[in-house]
Each structure stands twice: as structure tokens, then as C-alpha cells.
Amino acid sequence: MKKLMSGNAALGEAAVLSGCTCYFGYPITPQNELTEYMAKRMGELGRVFIQSESEIAAINMVLGASVAGARAMTSSSSPGMSLKQEGISYLAADELPAVIVDMVRGGPGMGNISPAQSDYLQATRGGGHGDYKTIVLAPGSVQELTDVVPLAFDLADKYRNPVVILGDGMLGQMMEPVSFDDIKPPKEYPKDYILTGAKGRPARMVRSLLFDTKEEEEHNWKLVRKYQRMESSEVRYETYLTDDAEMIVVAYGIGARIVRGAIKRLRQENLKVGMIRPITVWPFPAAAIQEMAKTVHDFFVFEMCAGQMIEDVRLALAGKGHIHFYGRPGGIIPTPIELYRIIARHYYTAARRKK
Amino acid sequence: MKGTISIDQERCKGCELCIEFCPNKVIYLSDKLNAKGYFVAAFDDGKECTGCATCAVICPDVAIEVMKS
Amino acid sequence: MKKAYVKPKTLKEAHFHYCPGCGHGIINRLLMEVIDEMGLREKAICVAPAGCGMLLYNYFDIDTLESAHGRGAAVATGIKRVRPDNLVFSYQGDGDLAAIGTAEGFHAANRGEPISIIFVNNGVYGMTGGQMAPTTLKQQVTTTTPLGRNPILAGHPVRICEVFSMLDGTSYLERVAVNKPAAVIKTKKAIKKAFQCQLDGKGFSLVEILSPCPTNWKMGTIEACRWIDEVMAKQFPIGVVKEIS
């Protein structure tokens, strides 16, 4: 059964259905609708909702709720996400599950409230301190936004690690019909690490201060092994018309939807353009791109920023093929026709070079 | 002797608070060094200890156990 | 001969890392004495700060979580909201609560979160070597106020209990000290009252404890205890600041 909902509200409902019992948020456009939705919904269900005094407080409330055993979530947008980085590093170090939603907006600094993709590196590399990683899911539609929420909670519990949902202002605020029928009740995950009061068991200590450098190193390698497991089994992406493609666009989230419109026009003129759309931008689908590079020479990276994911494409290709780039930072939303013209021009110059 | 105390040599850091606040001045700073290199406090059993435990109350290192008859 | 005083059961065997004459050691012990006497070992969850007090999880045989510097009140909020029946208390120093963690402490208090904050006020940043803290006194010399704290340049010492008493969410706020036996006994009572306030669901409680830091005050241990009465307590008056019945 489908309902017309904004991405933010749909995300909230999906979180509720995924067993999120604690939500902590702070007002920031363009994700306010999520905080507002949770205020109503969590209240109705008698679950925990706090509008905190800052994004820093919110992420630390998530940490507290998580270490106490709850499925906890917070959401924000770019500037607020910057404030949460310290907390995310602590969540990773303490190996605590959490879901953090980032509806990216124009930046840097105050930026604006228009959708953008300029926080890619912050999300995928981690803006906090220390060697840590978070799985980063980048949905491309309101429906997919609701699909990744239960996945995010499960991955967070499965790996005991924070998971980031990387959206953008448009995804959050646009309305599309959405169904929640596929969301199954949350599975039980072992919670032998949570703090409940040392009753009938030894006291537990959750901390990340390890003065002994050998201990700290071993803790780091333990985390690295976890991240390697994520890299080997949690990559998700979608391909579109890549089988006969001469040029493959690499784009994610709302950017990829604009590219789809451009590709329809290009294909009408028999320009063989396809697309690979990472759904997890970390772990990045590098292997899939390397596979495509065996037959395709030209890759076209499109981002709604000045160019960040292009680094991952460059790493994946390791010098093979040719990378074209088109970016529009600052919250500009390019039109499909604009992209169609740009990609076509790159396509023709590439074709001439091949002759 | 109504009371007596035993001082854990290795926990004591020679901070002298027990010495300062003992009402009967039955504790003194010995010239014995513990493993951490502190001169440790010692109980002068020649003096009258009432077992009031003031020393244990003020000790920052939980180094004093008090017995009382 | 019967034992009149022994180490509290819930205090682990590990030796304290604190400096000689440091108030943290007394406060750590008092907390475990109170927890034993109130039978709270199986319900207690402590949030440790960043600072001298952070290694309390090596000493407390209860569930503990180490929070990022200054975030204890927010973390404790998250824990308490999920586990309202547990005794949740956040152990924080003056840098942790009154500097970087002001907003978190202030708003937890303002929301009347039924948690307790054990606020150790020793006037300096101890662990990092004696820098100025928000509670450093006027003209007091620290490693970052070498000529003495000049209020025009570095602000005034902040009275947390009085500030928090303005917030309707706070129920019990008391300032005590651990610089002499009588004061230590009063501190223990205050901690008990704070925990009872929480268990009775009466809202937010905070005990501010003036604590000697001989090493960074560059004083003898006994001189430091005296200094608290003679100087520090003038700026930070001892007593119950707020108590909602």
C-alpha cells in the first residue's frame, strides 16, 4: 500500500518500523521534517524523543542509548554532521551500533539549504579522528530511502558500528509515493556488551582510552578486520544500460536520477551511455568499476559538488581508461537536458580520440 | 588499646592527611620507602588509638583499615 | 577487635593512580561506600569523564562507560532514557562539566533528567598538567594564567550550583568539600541524597565537591586542604544550594 510522503517523513516511519526506540535530533534545514515526524510518532508510541541542545549532545545521547541496548538514531545536515564527527569516532571506537542520517546541503560553512553532495569525503572517509570507518548508504529515491533504513539498523547491529545514511535536501523534502510493506520486524542481535547494571554478571566497561599502545594497536587491527569484512560483503550498487555502453557515468543519490533522464535522451540519439550507481558509497564498488574498465574506456563522473567521489573512481581505475568529470557545487540542481548536452560533448570528443 | 589501624604500605603515598587529622596523633611518617618511592605512614602503637577511623575517612588512597574493640 | 573500617566491597583492588593528597581518591571511595550501603551495585551505571577522574572504571566494580570530554550529561541522558530504573551518574571534573560540557550539563539539568552529576571542582585541569579551569579563582596562578587569572582577559570563576539552581528542572544541588574528615562525611551524605533524589524520580541532582589538587596548586597536601576553607570556599560557598522536597 503506497502513501505520498516526504523523504524525511518516510525515513522516520521506516525507522519506527525498524525498531528505533530512541531518536535525538536538532533543528537544521533541510531535515527538519524528520525531527518533527519523530517528535509526533515517537511520542505516540511512548518511545524516546529528545530535541537536544546541539548536534553534539544528540550524537552523545545516541551513544548512551546504544550502550544501554536501544536502537538509536539521529539526523542532521552538513554543518550539524560536522559537529557529530567526534561522537561518531567514539561510537566506532566503542563498537556501538547507531544510525546517523545526513541530508546534505550546499556548503562549505553556512552554505545554503539546497541539496548537494559535497559531504561525500566527510561521510566516506570519516570526519572524526582515528582509523575508523562507517558503512555509508546513499539512497536515490524516497522509496529507497525507506528501504535503506532497516538495512542501516541491521548493518549497525551486525557489525556493532555506526552507519551513515547519506541523503540530500531534495531527497529529504520531495514527496513520492512510498510503501513500507517490505520492512520486516527487527531481528534480535546479541547484546552481551550493553550496560544494564552488573546484576548476575561481572561489571562491564565500555571505553576507548587505551594507554597501552600495544593494546590500542591490537584494538585498531581488530577494527580494521571488521572493516575488511564490510568491504568484502556489504558493497551495493545498481547498473543501468551498461552492457553495451561505450561510456559509463558514475553517479549516486539524487545526482544519479538526473543522469537517468540525460541517458534516456542520449540513448534516443544512439549514444551508448550507461551508468553505475553506488548505493553504498562506502564500501565503494571499486571491483565493479574495475570489471567494467576491461571493456569500457570512458567513465564520466557526475557529482553535485566540486568533485569528491571522483577520487574513489580514480582509485578504482588506477590509471586505466579516461575519467571525465562534471560537477555543480553550491546547491545547484542541474537539469537532465544540461547533463545530456555535457555528456554528449564528452562522448563525441572521446569517440574522435578513439579514431 | 581500644583501637588499632593497619596501613597498606603499597597503597599509601605519604600524603600525611591521616597524620594531620588523627585526633590522638598516633600516626607518623616513617622513613620506610614503598615500591612507588613514597615514605609511608606508620602507626605508633605506643600511642592510644580509639578506633575512630578519622584517618580512614580522610585517606585518599583507601590505605587504612581500622579495628576497634 | 572488630573491623571498624574496611575498603568498600565495590571498590576494586587496583591502586589509585591519583597524586598524593588528591580529592578524587576520597570521592571514588565515597561513591562505592554509598553504592554498597544503598545496595545499588547491580543498578549503577557510571559515565566517566575525560580527565583525572576518567580511570574510575579501573576502580569501580560497576558498569561504566567512558564518555568523550564534556559529553557525560548527554550520554547519561541517553542511558537513563533507555534504562530509567538504573542509577545513572556522571562523574565530571570542572573542565569537563563547566567548560566543554557546559551545554550538555546545563540542558540535562534544564530537562530535569533524573540523573546525578558528581562534579569534582578542583579549580584546574589536573590530568593535562594544571591549566586554568572555569573554576580557577581570580588571580590564581595556573600554567595558562602564569601571572594569575585576570578576569578581564580570562573571565571569572563560575559557580555551577548557583547557575544550575536557576533551572527549574534541577531538584537537588549541594556544594561540599573533601578537605577534612567532617567535610568528607558531609560529602558522603550529599551523594546519598543525590542518588536518593534520582531513585525517587524527583529530577536532576548535582553534588559539587571542592577537591584538593596539591600537585597543580603547587602546595603541600595539608596546605591545599586548608586553602579550600580559607580561600576557595569564599568563591564557592559550602552548603545546600537547592533542594526540592
Side-chain angles (χ1 to χ4, degrees):
Chain A
M1 192 266 291
K2 294 211 169 183
K3 271 177 75 175
L4 186 63
M5 287 176 89
S6 73
N8 283 329
L11 195 157
E13 185 57 27
V16 164
L17 297 173
S18 305
C20 171
T21 52
C22 296
Y23 173 85
F24 309 100
Y26 186 83
I28 184 166
T29 305
Q31 63 81 56
N32 294 313
E33 296 80 2
L34 172 51
T35 306
E36 288 158 357
Y37 187 85
M38 293 304 261
K40 189 166 69 67
R41 257 326 243 138
M42 299 295 260
E44 283 163 9
L45 299 168
R47 298 183 186 182
V48 174
F49 170 88
I50 295 181
Q51 179 183 316
S52 61
E53 60 273 22
S54 74
E55 290 91 347
I56 296 172
I59 190 73
N60 280 286
M61 290 176 187
V62 164
L63 193 145
S66 178
V67 86
R71 276 194 155 183
M73 179 169 93
T74 183
S75 62
S76 188
S77 173
S78 311
M81 196 61 176
S82 295
L83 292 178
K84 291 182 192 293
Q85 296 303 315
E86 177 199 50
I88 294 172
S89 171
Y90 275 80
L91 281 163
D94 289 344
E95 298 196 81
L96 292 173
V99 172
I100 302 120
V101 179
D102 180 8
M103 292 301 182
V104 180
R105 69 188 225 178
M110 192 60 78
N112 56 35
I113 57 170
S114 187
Q117 298 185 318
S118 36
D119 300 353
Y120 178 92
L121 289 176
Q122 177 188 59
T124 56
R125 293 334 186 247
H129 56 287
D131 286 312
Y132 74 93
K133 290 286 179 190
T134 59
I135 290 177
V136 182
L137 301 164
S141 67
V142 171
Q143 182 60 54
E144 195 172 41
L145 202 55
T146 61
D147 299 339
V148 298
V149 171
L151 174 62
F153 276 108
D154 284 340
L155 290 173
D157 268 325
K158 175 179 172 185
Y159 291 98
R160 279 179 55 186
N161 204 67
V163 171
V164 173
I165 295 177
L166 190 66
D168 61 76
M170 183 189 281
L171 258 182
Q173 296 191 321
M174 74 188 194
M175 298 182 80
E176 285 186 300
V178 62
S179 149
F180 300 97
D181 300 342
D182 297 342
I183 299 184
K184 291 182 283 303
K187 285 187 296 201
E188 286 300 318
Y189 285 86
K191 294 281 174 183
D192 51 0
Y193 57 89
I194 63 175
L195 301 186
T196 57
K199 185 179 173 75
R201 62 164 172 75
R204 288 181 186 143
M205 180 198 308
V206 176
R207 58 175 167 88
S208 50
L209 171 72
L210 296 168
F211 271 128
D212 182 329
T213 47
K214 287 193 303 306
E215 264 181 61
E216 181 67 60
E217 181 183 31
E218 184 35 46
H219 182 57
N220 269 271
W221 291 128
K222 176 191 172 195
L223 294 178
V224 166
R225 286 191 291 276
K226 178 198 293 192
Y227 305 142
Q228 284 163 347
R229 285 200 303 279
M230 291 177 185
E231 281 175 303
S232 59
S233 49
E234 303 303 342
V235 173
R236 287 167 174 78
Y237 61 91
E238 180 195 59
T239 58
Y240 178 60
L241 305 179
T242 52
D243 298 342
D244 65 345
E246 299 280 325
M247 172 181 279
I248 292 181
V249 178
V250 187
Y252 70 95
I254 205 71
R257 283 187 70 167
I258 302 168
V259 169
R260 251 181 200 270
I263 289 178
K264 278 203 186 75
R265 281 179 175 71
L266 292 162
R267 284 286 176 167
Q268 281 159 5
E269 295 179 11
N270 210 7
L271 300 186
K272 294 189 169 53
V273 179
M275 173 171 66
I276 176 169
R277 176 174 73 91
I279 296 170
T280 56
V281 281
W282 197 90
F284 188 72
I289 291 178
Q290 279 148 13
E291 190 55 32
M292 292 175 176
K294 288 180 181 154
T295 54
V296 175
H297 181 71
D298 290 280
F299 289 85
F300 186 102
V301 175
F302 165 63
E303 294 175 74
M304 288 163 61
C305 71
Q308 297 187 19
M309 182 178 64
I310 187 169
E311 295 183 12
D312 278 338
V313 176
R314 211 173 271 137
L315 284 172
L317 291 173
K320 269 190 82 175
H322 180 72
I323 301 175
H324 309 255
F325 173 71
Y326 183 66
R328 294 296 301 271
I332 295 287
I333 308 165
T335 61
I337 291 175
E338 174 187 345
L339 267 191
Y340 150 72
R341 264 194 237 104
I342 302 290
I343 296 173
R345 197 185 319 130
H346 282 258
Y347 190 93
Y348 286 123
T349 47
R352 268 199 303 281
R353 196 185 328 109
K354 280 186 202 133
K355 283 204 186 65
Chain B
M1 184 80 87
K2 273 195 283 173
T4 180
I5 63 172
S6 71
I7 297 172
D8 181 329
Q9 307 279 322
E10 291 313 317
R11 287 193 79 108
C12 173
K13 292 180 183 146
C15 76
E16 302 183 78
L17 290 185
C18 57
I19 296 167
E20 169 70 15
F21 290 107
C22 169
N24 291 2
K25 299 298 173 204
V26 303
I27 310 170
Y28 65 96
L29 193 62
S30 75
D31 52 14
K32 189 175 166 312
L33 286 172
N34 70 7
K36 295 189 188 104
Y38 291 113
F39 289 112
V40 294
F43 172 57
D44 177 352
D45 51 18
K47 296 251 179 73
E48 184 61 33
C49 164
T50 64
C52 70
T54 298
C55 52
V57 165
I58 197 62
C59 175
D61 282 284
V62 205
I64 303 174
E65 223 174 55
V66 180
M67 263 70 72
K68 200 174 177 187
S69 59
Chain C
M1 284 280 186
K2 171 165 73 49
K3 289 205 173 170
Y5 185 82
V6 284
K7 181 171 77 63
K9 200 160 46 59
T10 308
L11 197 62
K12 293 184 192 170
E13 288 303 320
H15 290 192
F16 287 156
H17 72 288
Y18 303 118
C19 306
C22 167
H24 278 296
I26 299 172
I27 298 164
N28 280 201
R29 188 198 79 228
L30 288 179
L31 281 164
M32 291 308 107
E33 282 177 11
V34 166
I35 279 182
D36 279 351
E37 285 159 28
M38 294 176 80
L40 291 169
R41 183 185 166 281
E42 294 184 342
K43 286 178 71 168
I45 299 176
C46 174
V47 178
C52 289
M54 73 193 299
L55 293 178
L56 56 83
Y57 43 70
N58 292 332
Y59 312 129
F60 291 2
D61 191 18
I62 60 174
D63 275 3
T64 52
L65 167 86
E66 171 197 282
S67 118
H69 189 35
R71 314 307 178 200
V75 172
T77 297
I79 295 172
K80 185 71 178 183
R81 289 291 179 110
V82 174
R83 300 206 164 272
D85 300 332
N86 281 78
L87 175 88
V88 181
F89 64 99
S90 175
Y91 188 106
Q92 296 182 257
D94 33 33
D96 201 271
L97 178 71
I100 188 170
T102 308
E104 285 80 359
F106 182 94
H107 284 281
N110 193 52
R111 288 190 302 268
E113 298 289 345
I115 60 175
S116 305
I117 293 187
I118 306 300
F119 169 41
V120 181
N121 174 359
N122 60 12
V124 284
Y125 280 72
M127 180 181 238
T128 44
Q131 295 79 15
M132 179 189 82
T135 49
T136 295
L137 302 182
K138 280 178 263 194
Q139 309 321 329
Q140 183 179 345
V141 172
T142 71
T143 57
T144 48
T145 57
L147 304 177
R149 180 179 190 180
N150 174 353
I152 295 160
L153 299 176
H156 300 260
V158 64
R159 287 184 284 269
I160 285 292
C161 278
E162 285 75 359
V163 170
F164 278 22
S165 69
M166 291 296 115
L167 303 171
D168 296 342
T170 52
S171 303
Y172 171 64
L173 304 166
E174 181 166 4
R175 181 178 295 114
V176 288
V178 283
N179 62 332
K180 56 189 180 219
V184 169
I185 290 163
K186 266 177 62 187
T187 298
K188 181 172 178 175
K189 283 204 189 79
I191 293 173
K192 270 190 178 170
K193 271 167 79 173
F195 284 0
Q196 198 55 54
C197 170
Q198 174 177 161
L199 295 173
D200 297 345
K202 276 197 279 179
F204 180 88
S205 52
L206 178 145
V207 178
E208 176 177 347
I209 307 171
L210 303 188
S211 172
C213 177
T215 298
N216 289 305
W217 294 356
K218 308 235 179 307
M219 295 176 192
T221 56
I222 294 150
E223 185 192 354
C225 287
R226 217 174 279 132
W227 191 73
I228 287 179
D229 277 340
E230 289 161 8
V231 180
M232 203 174 176
K234 302 285 182 294
Q235 173 69 27
F236 301 108
I238 303 285
V240 176
V241 175
K242 184 173 183 181
E243 187 168 3
I244 308 284
S245 59

